[in-house]
Amino acid sequence: MTLQSSTISIERLRVHAFHGVMAQERNVGDDFLVSLHIHYNIYKAMESDNVADTLDYGELCQLVTAQMSTPSKLLEHVAGRICKAIFARFPQATAIELKLTKQNPPMGADCQGASIEIHVTND
């Protein structure tokens, strides 16, 4: 059997954080959703059934939560920090697709959030 590709995902992790351009956003905070798709060869874990041979979902959530706890003005900046932290901890990860959504942006519009999406590779 040949593994063609594999991805480990976290879907819509909800985090209350304090990101935004306006001071009020950084004081009151907002709810954010983070979705990750991490390209990672899981073949060894498929064979071993050992969590040490894959990416631990709990540890991924802790990495994301730690980066979300540091206030930033821009979602782009937060997303970049999250990806850098994942690559630093899991250098075997080859790429990350990340979507970061601010659920209640203060922009005077009735919407379900404002998001950024990035796809980065581990150089």
Side-chain angles (χ1 to χ4, degrees):
M1 176 169 65
T2 302
L3 178 65
Q4 295 296 316
S5 67
S6 52
T7 305
I8 293 175
S9 299
I10 302 292
E11 300 291 343
R12 299 172 54 90
L13 175 65
R14 184 182 305 276
V15 180
H16 190 81
F18 301 89
H19 309 300
V21 173
M22 296 184 289
Q24 181 69 5
E25 294 176 278
R26 292 189 305 280
N27 289 330
V28 175
D30 199 343
D31 290 327
F32 294 82
L33 298 173
V34 182
S35 293
L36 294 168
H37 304 283
I38 302 167
H39 298 262
Y40 183 85
N41 187 329
I42 65 168
Y43 186 79
K44 189 173 180 182
M46 289 170 56
E47 295 294 318
S48 72
D49 196 28
N50 186 338
V51 72
D53 294 332
T54 191
L55 303 184
D56 183 317
Y57 303 134
E59 191 171 350
L60 284 170
C61 290
Q62 289 173 354
L63 284 171
V64 170
T65 302
Q67 292 304 315
M68 290 294 291
S69 71
T70 301
S72 291
K73 292 179 182 173
L74 300 178
L75 297 182
E76 294 86 342
H77 188 250
V78 181
R81 285 199 330 260
I82 291 170
C83 291
K84 287 176 186 175
I86 292 170
F87 285 145
R89 173 60 187 92
F90 300 105
Q92 312 91 320
T94 58
I96 300 171
E97 296 166 36
L98 181 146
K99 181 176 181 180
L100 177 55
T101 302
K102 179 182 275 193
Q103 291 204 274
N104 300 297
M107 58 186 191
D110 184 13
C111 67
Q112 292 187 357
S115 303
I116 60 114
E117 291 185 49
I118 62 173
H119 180 218
V120 295
T121 57
N122 192 1
D123 299 331

